[in-house]
Amino acid sequence: MNHTDPTDSETSDADRSSTDTLGMTRSDTTAKVKASIKKRYARERRFRLYGLIAILSSLSFLAILVFTITKNGLPAFKQTFIQLDVTLDAKTLGLGDEPDQAQLLKANYNGTIKKALLAQFPDVKKRKDKKALYKLISKGGQYDLQRQVMESPDLIGQSKTVWLPAGDDASGYLKGMVDVTIPEKKRRFKDNQIEWIESLKQDNRVAERFNWTFFERGDSREPEMAGIKGALFGSILTLMVTLILSFPIAVASAIYLEEFAPRNKWTDIIEVNINNLAAVPSIVFGLLGLAVFINFFQLPRSAPVVGGLVLSLMTLPTIIISSRAALKSVPPSIRDAALGLGASNLQVVFHHVLPLALPGILTGTIIGMAQALGETAPLLMIGMVAFIVDVPATITDPATVLPVQIFQWADLPEKGFVEKTSAAIMVLLAFLVAMNTFAVILRRKFERKW
Amino acid sequence: MTSNNSDASTNTDTSSASSVTSSLGPLDLEKGQGTKEQSIEEIVASLGDTVGKTRVDNPKMSATGVDVFYADKQAIFGVDLDIANNEVISMIGPSGCGKSTLLRCLNRMNDTIPICKVTGELTLDGEDIYGRDTDPVLLRARVGMVFQKPNPFPKSIYENVAYGPRLHGLSRNKSELDDIVITSLRKAGIFEEVKDRLDAPGTGLSGGQQQRLCIARTIACSPEVILMDEPCSALDPIATAKIEELINELSENYAIAIVTHSMQQAARVSQRTAYFHLGKLVEVGHTADIFTNPRHELTEKYITGRFG
Ligand SMILES: Nc1ncnc2c1ncn2[C@@H]1O[C@H](COP(=O)(O)OP(=O)(O)OP(=O)(O)O)[C@@H](O)[C@H]1O
Ligand SMILES: [Mg+2]
């Protein structure tokens, strides 16, 4: 028949002659195959079972994780408010006639709130009890009041009913997280405070609302006033810098290395180094960023631009490696076809190879970006761990990022930060899911339709 | 097959003697039968100059003393050959004898294989195609190629054919491009089959249709020389007849080199035939002469089907 490959025909000939000498008949073969087929199928079934078990167990771990995080984090999306009748008289506020904006900014809103509380509970006389009473309202309440007054200064001199955020312990109690069976001494939220809250509740002066504060504010020392917006924007800005730097550089390097670079000692060295860089612990990149970007180039500390630079160092090798793999997997016959028609190397790459490799490149990019999103260690080195209240607006503003924020909140003793930590994790996961969805949509768009 | 088995087993010692012989297993059969003739190895080793006239009066392309190496392994040994204007030359020979390799040298497709080294002189219209100032991109636009395996782009049928003309700016507007695409498809004998689905993916066609699409794609660039590497190996007799007709038609204007394993096809389409063996050009001459009256005994053995 076809004699192109003698080695092939020789082995098959050898097989046949050996079976001949064994005196095998056709039915023997059938019986043997039948016997082995059962074993083979059994093996396959076992293998499928292992796979199923593996998937189910990882799914259950995931379910447990999501469940606990959601359970801990959900209360953080609710905020409790207490209604007070405040009298905004100029004397308590410490304002003279016709106050200007600067004076309004510095006015004593805290005193006004305290007065309102005392007016609500006239029986409270002792200094210690007063202090406990004041704790019912969050320290952030004065800023709400401040904002309202600065928006319409003619409120001064009037009485107003306002909703103010409850303090950490009070809101914890209202959310049912205080165990009243514990003896009073061992509990932060005392019996008299419980009494006051219950009486406020009876007057319908307590309400629970969706916690917009959490999404509208930066970090705070007061858990009830702390928000995720600062860290979220910090993450977005940092990742933007990372993507803008690492994607084009990585894809360009991958294309050059895969399609244009000659194969020699130098490209071998570069390849080995890229593979090694992908395995370098991320904290090392943080040290590098500190030494190079901050100390040498004098870039600002704690800024998303530096974070982005450091993270792109980290994601570059990941994207390069996966892009090269994607480029390599494009069949050479496509390249031949285009070259044979007279396309230049660059045209071959951009007309044919890159579009076919793009889904793979995008997958690599999203893996790199997800890594960057979850990275904490290198950012600690460049000062993105600082306590930052303001929401960053540009890439040079001091900022922190979601995982670092989680890390910081997880470390704080206040009860309110426990739920905030879980809520921040939920935001981080949501961010990740959104990013991945976007990547999947992009991939679908570019994947060849046949 | 059964009769071969015993021969093969008796000859295992000789067949593993060298890589050259092991790539030509069936030759052992000749020897195994104990003929008094010279063995194939001896003939190949003593191969001298090519038998027949390698030069023509009006060469479009010509090769002189071409050696090709894949790393240390030599695949082509000192080949001299001309391809004339307006002629079809067929290249035949056993598998692995270097037909594709030589063909790929003619439009520098071998440049893409880093380990491949070409020495000797190859010219197109008298210009050295491996010369310093020859642009491989321009060369490939002038010397088109149809590959052994169909390799349409994963794009629409229309885009597949339009790619070359668009690349070289052969059309001034959409309707001209449409014309080129339709004419090329019609010439390649596939237009009737795909006219309703020009937007369908080219990779969704059958193997034979894909190959004709690739031919259409090549002729859409209107090259001066067309190199075809077994263009009909995946085609049915009807499609093959269409392609052969196309080759006949094209040969009026183009120079065509075609590699084929079908001697009937070589006889039908080509004016001249070159017979290769183990990287050497054994014999070249008018097709009729080669098939009716081969002068070299290897050629005779091959065309009479005693090996290969
Ligand atoms: N890319 C490559 N790298 C190394 N060796 C190669 C390469 N391509 C071809 N060769 C070798 O060169 C020799 C000639 O190969 P070629 O493809 O030209 O044969 P052919 O005559 O076209 O065979 P067929 O009729 O089977 O297509 C073979 O021995 C093959 O092993
Ligand atoms: Mg070939």
Side-chain angles (χ1 to χ4, degrees):
Chain A
M1 298 201 194
N2 193 344
H3 288 289
T4 48
D5 198 344
T7 46
D8 219 354
S9 58
E10 254 168 40
T11 45
S12 59
D13 291 341
D15 286 345
R16 198 158 311 154
S17 59
S18 63
T19 50
D20 282 345
T21 48
L22 282 174
M24 289 258 294
T25 62
R26 198 165 263 175
S27 57
D28 282 349
T29 322
T30 316
K32 283 205 168 163
V33 171
K34 262 188 185 157
S36 79
I37 266 178
K38 258 190 192 153
K39 263 194 207 157
R40 280 187 264 171
Y41 282 151
R43 203 175 291 159
E44 187 178 324
R45 271 196 301 276
R46 268 204 307 280
F47 184 78
R48 281 193 196 177
L49 191 69
Y50 298 150
L52 208 62
I53 291 172
I55 285 179
L56 284 180
S57 54
S58 48
L59 271 185
S60 59
F61 281 129
L62 191 69
I64 292 169
L65 181 85
V66 170
F67 177 74
T68 43
I69 288 175
T70 317
K71 188 170 149 275
N72 287 335
L74 270 186
F77 294 107
K78 285 273 167 63
Q79 194 177 20
T80 41
F81 286 85
I82 292 173
Q83 195 189 41
L84 284 182
D85 304 317
V86 288
T87 317
L88 294 158
D89 59 310
K91 208 180 122 217
T92 323
L93 285 167
L95 293 169
D97 297 339
E98 315 231 330
D100 60 14
Q101 286 283 315
Q103 284 170 322
L104 283 180
L105 195 70
K106 289 203 196 112
N108 184 8
Y109 301 102
N110 210 7
T112 317
I113 294 173
K114 285 178 179 170
K115 238 179 147 183
L117 276 167
L118 287 177
Q120 185 75 29
F121 299 100
D123 301 344
V124 180
K125 291 279 187 286
K126 273 192 267 170
R127 212 177 116 79
K128 201 177 142 221
D129 289 349
K130 279 185 184 173
K131 246 182 145 178
L133 179 63
Y134 297 156
K135 280 199 176 148
L136 291 187
I137 299 292
S138 161
K139 278 188 195 142
Q142 52 182 314
Y143 301 112
D144 283 4
L145 207 55
Q146 179 194 46
R147 204 183 57 226
Q148 288 184 25
V149 172
M150 287 182 74
E151 270 169 17
S152 45
D154 43 303
L155 279 173
I156 294 170
Q158 297 182 12
S159 271
K160 195 173 189 291
T161 310
V162 288
W163 286 97
L164 295 170
D168 178 31
D169 292 329
S171 73
Y173 172 78
L174 284 169
K175 285 174 188 172
M177 287 184 302
V178 172
D179 188 357
V180 281
T181 55
I182 301 175
E184 193 188 2
K185 273 197 177 144
K186 287 190 182 165
R187 149 153 65 81
R188 279 171 63 101
F189 203 59
K190 305 298 180 194
D191 285 348
N192 53 358
Q193 289 175 309
I194 293 177
E195 209 176 287
W196 296 322
I197 281 284
E198 290 299 338
S199 98
L200 281 170
K201 225 178 180 175
Q202 248 147 46
D203 293 355
N204 273 336
R205 283 177 176 276
V206 172
E208 227 175 40
R209 300 185 197 155
F210 185 76
N211 190 355
W212 287 111
T213 311
F214 185 62
F215 294 100
E216 283 167 354
R217 281 177 179 268
D219 199 5
S220 166
R221 290 283 179 229
E222 315 300 325
E224 67 279 1
M225 298 313 289
I228 198 73
K229 193 177 174 191
L232 188 65
F233 273 60
S235 269
I236 292 174
L237 289 172
T238 309
L239 281 189
M240 243 161 56
V241 174
T242 310
L243 184 69
I244 288 169
L245 281 176
S246 60
F247 184 71
I249 297 179
V251 174
S253 339
I255 290 177
Y256 177 74
L257 285 173
E258 202 52 51
E259 305 288 333
F260 297 102
R263 295 267 176 278
N264 59 28
K265 209 170 61 194
W266 295 110
T267 43
D268 282 353
I269 292 176
I270 290 174
E271 182 161 358
V272 169
N273 274 313
I274 288 173
N275 290 342
N276 283 342
L277 275 181
V280 168
S282 54
I283 192 136
V284 177
F285 288 112
L287 274 174
L288 187 81
L290 180 64
V292 176
F293 300 128
I294 294 182
N295 290 347
F296 187 74
F297 286 112
Q298 302 286 325
L299 289 173
R301 267 172 185 276
S302 313
V305 62
V306 182
L309 279 165
V310 168
L311 291 180
S312 25
L313 288 183
M314 210 193 70
T315 39
L316 265 175
T318 315
I319 306 183
I320 293 180
I321 290 172
S322 55
S323 302
R324 289 190 67 178
L327 290 169
K328 207 176 273 178
S329 70
V330 174
S333 63
I334 297 290
R335 289 166 223 262
D336 278 357
L339 278 176
L341 289 175
S344 68
N345 278 332
L346 196 72
Q347 287 171 324
V348 172
V349 170
F350 280 95
H351 294 169
H352 300 284
V353 179
L354 202 54
L356 291 178
L358 210 52
I361 293 176
L362 285 178
T363 307
T365 309
I366 211 65
I367 291 173
M369 295 309 287
Q371 248 176 21
L373 175 64
E375 203 54 68
T376 333
L379 300 180
L380 302 185
M381 305 300 302
I382 56 156
M384 289 190 89
V385 72
F387 172 70
I388 291 144
V389 177
D390 293 327
V391 174
T394 68
I395 54 171
T396 47
D397 290 346
T400 188
V401 293
L402 285 169
V404 175
Q405 185 73 79
I406 292 166
F407 167 77
Q408 282 178 310
W409 281 352
D411 233 21
L412 292 172
E414 283 89 347
K415 201 141 184 142
F417 279 118
V418 176
E419 56 183 47
K420 295 274 150 148
T421 308
S422 295
I425 292 175
M426 285 164 73
V427 171
L428 179 68
L429 290 181
F431 192 156
L432 200 71
V433 169
M435 226 163 75
N436 280 345
T437 316
F438 180 64
V440 169
I441 292 170
L442 266 188
R443 268 186 60 158
R444 282 275 163 77
K445 204 168 164 223
F446 285 116
E447 212 144 49
R448 59 186 176 139
K449 287 145 208 102
W450 40 74
Chain B
M1 200 65 207
T2 8
S3 69
N4 291 350
N5 290 338
S6 54
D7 294 318
S9 49
T10 54
N11 277 310
T12 39
D13 50 339
T14 50
S15 64
S16 58
S18 76
S19 63
V20 177
T21 48
S22 68
S23 70
L24 272 174
L27 295 187
D28 300 337
L29 303 182
E30 298 280 320
K31 218 167 112 193
Q33 277 151 8
T35 47
K36 282 157 271 167
E37 294 166 35
Q38 248 183 318
S39 78
I40 300 287
E41 286 90 338
E42 281 161 19
I43 302 176
V44 172
S46 67
L47 266 179
D49 289 344
T50 306
V51 177
K53 206 166 132 253
T54 56
R55 297 292 167 211
V56 293
D57 297 335
N58 57 343
K60 182 74 186 168
M61 299 195 80
S62 85
T64 313
V66 171
D67 291 325
V68 182
F69 301 84
Y70 288 111
D72 297 335
K73 188 171 162 277
Q74 190 163 0
I76 301 276
F77 297 81
V79 166
D80 294 334
L81 188 63
D82 276 359
I83 299 171
N85 259 324
N86 314 337
E87 85 160 358
V88 179
I89 182 166
S90 57
M91 302 182 178
I92 58 170
S95 188
C97 68
K99 306 178 296 289
S100 299
T101 302
L102 184 67
L103 211 60
R104 290 169 65 94
C105 289
L106 294 174
N107 69 345
R108 289 186 62 171
M109 282 306 289
N110 278 337
D111 289 9
T112 59
I113 304 170
I115 57 164
C116 181
K117 204 175 108 230
V118 181
T119 61
E121 202 189 22
L122 283 144
T123 60
L124 172 66
D125 286 335
E127 278 170 52
D128 184 7
I129 63 176
Y130 279 83
R132 248 170 212 290
D133 38 47
T134 307
D135 185 356
V137 171
L138 178 65
L139 173 73
R140 289 181 199 132
R142 294 173 67 190
V143 184
M145 182 156 198
V146 177
F147 294 86
Q148 197 162 352
K149 276 184 234 139
N151 54 355
F153 299 126
K155 300 184 185 219
S156 73
I157 293 172
Y158 182 92
E159 286 301 316
N160 260 285
V161 184
Y163 183 68
R166 222 178 248 158
L167 207 57
H168 304 301
L170 300 186
S171 63
R172 266 167 309 179
N173 51 42
K174 178 90 172 82
S175 69
E176 269 187 33
L177 189 62
D178 287 351
D179 279 350
I180 295 179
V181 170
I182 290 168
T183 329
S184 308
L185 286 171
R186 191 165 276 143
K187 275 192 192 165
I190 191 182
F191 182 68
E192 289 304 319
E193 284 157 75
V194 299
K195 66 181 174 195
D196 305 325
R197 45 174 176 150
L198 289 180
D199 292 328
T203 35
L205 298 173
S206 79
Q209 288 172 329
Q210 287 186 16
Q211 187 65 297
R212 277 178 285 154
L213 178 62
C214 291
I215 292 173
R217 186 175 67 182
T218 303
I219 55 184
C221 296
S222 39
E224 298 162 33
V225 181
I226 302 177
L227 310 172
M228 295 183 166
D229 198 344
E230 294 180 48
C232 301
S233 57
L235 301 191
D236 67 12
I238 298 168
T240 305
K242 278 186 193 154
I243 298 297
E244 287 175 3
E245 205 176 297
L246 168 70
I247 293 172
N248 274 328
E249 205 178 295
L250 291 174
S251 68
E252 286 167 22
N253 302 310
Y254 305 104
I256 297 173
I258 175 171
V259 169
T260 175
H261 278 296
S262 153
M263 278 168 275
Q264 290 85 342
Q265 181 170 58
R268 282 194 299 265
V269 299
S270 67
Q271 285 84 56
R272 287 201 308 149
T273 297
Y275 173 67
F276 290 84
H277 197 122
L278 284 180
K280 291 181 181 163
L281 177 54
V282 177
E283 184 169 352
V284 59
H286 288 292
T287 301
D289 295 343
I290 295 274
F291 285 112
T292 53
N293 189 13
R295 281 154 59 189
H296 198 283
E297 59 176 311
L298 278 178
T299 321
E300 189 199 338
K301 282 202 167 92
Y302 182 74
I303 62 168
T304 53
R306 273 190 277 161
F307 63 78

